[in-house]
Amino acid sequence: MEHYICITCGTQYSASTAAPPHCPICEDDRQYVNQNGQQWTTLAELRREHTNEFMPIDPGVTAIRTAPDFAIAQQAQLIQTSAGNLLWDCISFLDDATVADVQRRGGIAAIAISHPHFYSSMIEWSRAFDAPIYLHADNRPWVMRPDDAITFWEGDAQELLPSLTLVRCGGHFPGSSALHWADGAGGKGALFPADTINVVADRRYVSFMYSYPNQIPLSASAIRGIVAAVEPYAFDRIYGSWPGSIVAEAAKAAVRRSAERYIAHIEG
Ligand SMILES: [Zn+2]
Ligand SMILES: [Zn+2]
């Protein structure tokens, strides 16, 4: 029995004797099936050629990324607080060196993941660090490796650790969530919205999409819902899911300004 991993989206599946026939994450119109057909790998195979890199970003924020790139090449972010460490979002690759490196940084008290594209090998990470996983209940249909380690939270907000709160935004997925860190950005507050609020090339702006690879926009009402969801939270900085995708300051104004610009375009 193997836990197969889709090479296109990086999602790991429940154990099976043969590779699954389909990847519902890739077949969903937010993603795409590999042009060469559905292909699978395993952690054992990945360990022959990959490593994880740790990139300190700010005090208490470290990005963890796989090299060479795998699947959609996102980064996980380890947020270190005096009450324990949170792993925000997840990646497919995990090995003993990564476990040792994270343990040196204080381990992981909890794992929270924004949306299904980053569920990756979450159960492997949970087992390695004995850490519970928090996912929004509205995204439950996209969990491809169900496990007792997963807690499905409901409603609009869930505090995980002191100063760390999950905020349901919707949009990209019904349960798409951001992480708010009240103590982040030197006490001005920081937001980790993944691609629910995606930092774009012009770092003064963000964007909002139903599908990034297939370029399908969101409606004005969905975008207004995202802006309203984060409005009650103070934040000056946004940490995105890919290297360098940071809105360094005045990020809340950037979200408002970006939403207005986007809605003006889609409404003509
Ligand atoms: Zn896939
Ligand atoms: Zn996504």
Side-chain angles (χ1 to χ4, degrees):
M1 298 283 271
E2 284 281 4
H3 291 283
Y4 286 94
I5 297 172
C6 171
I7 69 159
T8 309
C9 69
T11 305
Q12 190 191 49
Y13 281 67
S14 294
S16 56
T17 47
H22 302 281
C23 176
I25 302 289
C26 284
E27 289 180 351
D28 179 75
D29 64 7
R30 279 162 282 221
Q31 272 285 120
Y32 56 96
V33 175
N34 190 311
Q35 288 178 11
N36 302 314
Q38 178 63 46
Q39 292 178 40
W40 303 91
T41 187
T42 62
L43 264 183
E45 253 178 62
L46 288 173
R47 282 175 186 141
R48 288 193 211 122
E49 287 184 353
H50 291 78
T51 55
N52 279 336
E53 295 174 344
F54 287 67
M55 292 173 293
I57 298 177
D58 268 336
V61 184
T62 303
I64 308 173
R65 222 171 155 261
T66 302
D69 282 356
F70 176 67
I72 56 174
Q74 81 274 18
Q75 59 193 16
Q77 312 207 52
L78 186 71
I79 300 153
Q80 293 167 280
T81 81
S82 54
N85 298 346
L86 178 79
L87 185 72
W88 172 244
D89 283 329
C90 201
I91 55 177
S92 304
F93 188 69
L94 182 64
D95 62 0
D96 291 344
T98 305
V99 174
D101 220 327
V102 171
Q103 294 291 17
R104 273 196 294 280
R105 291 167 157 86
I108 295 172
I111 299 167
I113 306 178
S114 57
H115 75 297
H117 293 149
F118 298 164
Y119 288 173
S120 59
S121 297
M122 60 180 169
I123 305 304
E124 304 285 345
W125 284 77
S126 168
R127 298 248 168 101
F129 298 99
D130 196 21
I133 300 169
Y134 293 86
L135 308 179
H136 197 279
D138 290 353
N139 289 341
R140 191 177 194 136
W142 290 280
V143 173
M144 298 298 143
R145 185 178 170 187
D147 192 274
D148 289 345
I150 301 170
T151 295
F152 291 98
W153 65 281
E154 296 179 25
D156 292 330
Q158 167 87 46
E159 189 183 64
L160 283 185
L161 292 167
S163 107
L164 286 168
T165 304
L166 296 173
V167 182
R168 191 196 76 89
C169 301
H172 182 43
F173 274 85
S176 275
S177 307
L179 174 72
H180 179 250
W181 186 24
D183 292 340
K188 291 179 177 173
L191 196 71
F192 296 76
D195 55 2
T196 302
I197 299 173
N198 200 41
V199 179
V200 294
D202 178 347
R203 300 292 192 241
R204 300 168 302 165
Y205 286 86
V206 296
S207 192
F208 316 85
M209 297 286 264
Y210 176 75
S211 168
Y212 288 92
N214 300 326
Q215 301 181 16
I216 307 170
L218 285 171
S219 67
S221 66
I223 293 164
R224 289 193 180 105
I226 293 168
V227 175
V230 299
E231 189 60 35
Y233 300 89
F235 61 94
D236 193 52
R237 190 167 299 165
I238 284 178
Y239 295 98
S241 299
W242 285 270
S245 60
I246 292 172
V247 179
E249 57 186 17
K252 194 167 182 176
V255 171
R256 291 194 199 111
R257 186 169 64 235
S258 303
E260 283 165 19
R261 181 176 76 169
Y262 192 113
I263 290 168
H265 276 277
I266 57 175
E267 289 188 339

